[in-house]
Amino acid sequence: MIRRGLAIAALVLLASCPRQGPIAAVLVAPDLETAAIARGLVADPADRDIVGLYARDTDRVCVVRRGLGYRIGAHVDYGQGVACSGAGSVSRSGDTLRVTLGEGCAFYARFDGARIVFPASVPEACAQLCGRRASFEALEVDRLSESEAEARAMRTAGNELPCAVE
């Protein structure tokens, strides 16, 4: 009986306690990159222009303004005549680039503000721009310069200027 009385007393006490409101929303801190962009420590890739000169080892990409759009040139050189070289147009939507290097050679690449990465598989038509076993597949280049003049001056192994605007 005493136990039953204690249980009832405990229930009455619990019922008389003030109710708490809903649990406060948990604030989620932004990831490190977002926080750095917000503080101006890191440039926002969405705000960076794609114009510039990009390279890694012997691979090079140039992007320059052409009219209301952009011209792109890409060159991959493995030495001894094993190379690819092409030029065409590029447009941007967020971090996606639509690259067209010639008839049937069009694909989407990634741009993160500091690097351009071609897809692991490009259309077969891109092989026309390549000699022997070379390919544009998985080409990855880092930004060396945001200078349009330097991008225009980029030369291929054949001394061509793929970003010279007609």
Side-chain angles (χ1 to χ4, degrees), residues 6-29:
L6 286 175
I8 292 173
L11 286 174
V12 169
L13 283 173
L14 283 174
S16 66
C17 289
R19 294 184 186 213
Q20 293 186 3
I23 297 175
V26 176
L27 296 177
V28 177

Side-chain angles (χ1 to χ4, degrees), residues 52-128:
L53 179 62
Y54 302 79
R56 180 173 287 174
D57 297 325
T58 57
D59 302 338
R60 295 184 294 281
V61 171
C62 56
V63 179
V64 297
R65 286 177 189 80
R66 179 174 65 187
L68 298 176
Y70 297 93
R71 178 172 177 82
I72 187 170
H75 182 73
V76 175
D77 188 1
Y78 299 108
Q80 300 179 349
V82 181
C84 294
S85 198
S89 62
V90 62
S91 60
R92 178 180 179 192
S93 177
D95 63 354
T96 301
L97 301 178
R98 171 76 172 152
V99 177
T100 303
L101 295 177
E103 187 69 34
C105 182
F107 51 85
Y108 292 98
R110 249 183 23 257
F111 174 69
D112 70 2
R115 168 181 317 104
I116 294 175
V117 181
F118 284 14
S121 178
V122 296
E124 285 185 38
C126 296
Q128 302 172 70

Side-chain angles (χ1 to χ4, degrees), residues 1 3-4 8 20 27 30 58 79 104 126 145-147 161:
M1 198 61 123
R3 282 189 183 168
R4 186 179 238 184
I8 292 173
Q20 293 186 3
L27 296 177
T58 57
C126 296
S145 170
E146 294 182 21
S147 166
L161 296 164

